């Protein structure tokens, strides 16, 4: 366990609906600094929606979400909650990196340009500083020799590693991974998971939606099983994967292991 007592993410009774479909039905959980939390569960259980709510890509309907004790998407004034402006939300997002199933790289930019774009445009870093850091991050994910390659010249695993480097370029204190290996061919999964293992070893706080149970068992500090928009069971990966208490957890794990 690589965690501290400081809480980075705290969810309190989070609800989210799309039309008449309630996707999140009161999520309560917390993630400590340095913790790797793995979210598992069947498709449609609300895992990805919950991640998107953390960095305000989706708005919640009820409850509260905090990152480092800062209320995401809102502020409290005079005993009431007020929605933040788009620019204030953008400021909050700067400390939260997110890696999606699809890589979403700019096709007309090289790997180096993809990584340095946001620091220059959003953080207003000098191009020299951003270039130096982008090269360092590409080296960190094992792609120093592909800095000038375009996405079309990279494998899916390489593109996903560039996407991780791009997220790290904004110097986040929290990384969200939404099934980062699900779009990859099986032989490319390992290279992405190795990069994520390195981040965990460095103490990065991470929430990972994944179906890679081996990764969850090896790297995760905590594991949360979600189904039907609720947290069904949570604990250490060893406990949840080895001795699941709830029938729904047992049935799910029986199909994926």
């Amino acid at each position: 366990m690589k965690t501290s007592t400081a809480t980075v993410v705290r969810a309190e009774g989070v609800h989210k609906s799309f039309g008449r479909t309630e996707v999140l039905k009161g999520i309560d959980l917390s993630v400590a600094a340095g913790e790797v939390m793995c979210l598992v569960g069947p498709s449609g259980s609300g895992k990805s929606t919950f991640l998107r709510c953390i960095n305000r890509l989706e708005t919640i309907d009820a409850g509260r979400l905090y990152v480092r004790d800062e209320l995401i998407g809102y502020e409290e004034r005079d005993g009431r909650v007020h929605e933040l402006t788009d620019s204030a939300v953008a400021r909050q997002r700067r400390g939260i990196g997110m890696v999606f199933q699809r890589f979403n790289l700019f096709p007309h930019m090289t790997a180096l340009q993809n990584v340095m774009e946001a620091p220059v445009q959003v953080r207003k870093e000098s191009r020299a500083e951003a270039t130096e850091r982008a090269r360092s991050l590409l080296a960190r994910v094992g792609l120093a020799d592909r800095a000038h390659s375009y996405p079309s010249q990279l494998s899916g695993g390489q593109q996903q590693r560039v996407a991780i480097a791009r997220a790290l370029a904004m110097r986040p204190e929290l990384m969200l991974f939404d099934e980062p290996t699900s779009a990859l061919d099986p032989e490319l999964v390992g290279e992405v998971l190795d990069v994520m293992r390195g981040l965990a070893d460095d103490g990065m706080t991470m929430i990972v939606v994944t179906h890679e149970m081996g990764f969850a068992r090896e790297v995760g500090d905590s594991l949360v099983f979600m189904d039907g928009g609720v947290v069904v069971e949570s604990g250490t990966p060893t406990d949840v994967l080895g001795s699941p208490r709830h029938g729904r957890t047992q049935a799910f794990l029986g199909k994926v292991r």
Side-chain angles (χ1 to χ4, degrees), residues 146-163:
R146 303 309 299 268
H148 298 294
S149 297
Y150 289 89
S152 62
Q153 299 170 316
L154 301 174
S155 70
Q158 290 170 331
Q159 290 185 63
Q160 192 63 295
R161 285 186 279 157
V162 173

Side-chain angles (χ1 to χ4, degrees), residues 7-10 29-37 50-51 53-56 65-68 70 72 92-99 123 164 167-177 199 203-208:
T7 299
V8 174
V9 179
R10 187 169 81 254
L29 55 78
S30 62
V31 182
E35 179 178 350
V36 178
M37 174 179 283
F50 178 66
L51 276 199
C53 288
I54 292 174
N55 69 351
R56 191 65 176 180
L65 268 171
Y66 297 88
V67 174
R68 281 292 190 193
E70 186 175 14
I72 295 298
Q92 290 184 328
R93 285 202 190 107
R94 292 181 190 178
I96 305 171
M98 188 161 182
V99 178
R123 285 192 172 274
I164 293 173
L168 293 173
M170 290 296 285
R171 308 177 190 274
E173 59 181 335
L174 169 67
M175 285 287 288
L176 309 176
F177 292 87
L199 292 178
M204 175 65 73
T205 307
M206 299 160 59
I207 305 178
V208 184

Side-chain angles (χ1 to χ4, degrees), residues 2-3 9 27-32 34-40 50-51 54 174-177 196 204-210 215-216 219-226 231 234-235 237:
K2 308 176 289 297
T3 60
V9 179
I27 301 296
D28 296 289
L29 55 78
S30 62
V31 182
E35 179 178 350
V36 178
M37 174 179 283
C38 294
L39 300 183
V40 304
F50 178 66
L51 276 199
I54 292 174
L174 169 67
M175 285 287 288
L176 309 176
F177 292 87
M196 294 170 64
M204 175 65 73
T205 307
M206 299 160 59
I207 305 178
V208 184
V209 172
T210 185
F215 174 85
V219 180
D221 297 303
S222 59
L223 187 142
V224 173
F225 172 66
M226 290 179 61
V231 173
S234 63

Side-chain angles (χ1 to χ4, degrees), residues 116-125 127:
M116 61 185 289
E117 178 71 6
V120 170
Q121 298 298 328
V122 178
R123 285 192 172 274
K124 307 303 180 184
E125 293 181 9
R127 298 197 72 83

Side-chain angles (χ1 to χ4, degrees), residues 181 184-197 212:
T181 61
L184 301 179
D185 292 334
E187 65 268 22
L188 302 178
V189 168
E191 62 191 50
V192 174
L193 295 181
D194 284 344
V195 170
M196 294 170 64
R197 287 186 186 95
E212 301 289 340

